[in-house]
Amino acid sequence: MGFWMKLAVTLAAIILASVLAGYLWHAIFNAEIPAFLSGLIGGMAAIPVWEFLRKFNAP
């Protein structure tokens, strides 16, 4: 799997995690999620996705 494909999948995971966190936050607190918290959740989701995709390039 090429670098750009891994990057696209990782970005999709970041966006999906952030959107789901926003919906969950709104359902629980009936308010907007703080931007830094949404970014933190997206970033934390990117780490395992990127590490999982690295295994496809292992020799």
Side-chain angles (χ1 to χ4, degrees):
M1 179 177 287
F3 172 78
W4 294 109
M5 186 63 165
K6 288 192 305 188
L7 185 63
V9 171
T10 305
L11 287 175
I14 291 169
I15 293 168
L16 180 65
S18 296
V19 168
L20 288 177
Y23 284 138
L24 184 62
W25 186 275
H26 186 70
I28 294 172
F29 299 111
N30 197 22
E32 296 281 328
I33 188 170
F36 71 90
L37 190 58
S38 179
L40 177 70
I41 292 169
M44 294 302 288
I47 296 168
V49 170
W50 187 263
E51 290 299 319
F52 175 74
L53 293 175
R54 268 186 49 193
K55 293 181 182 184
F56 287 110
N57 281 349

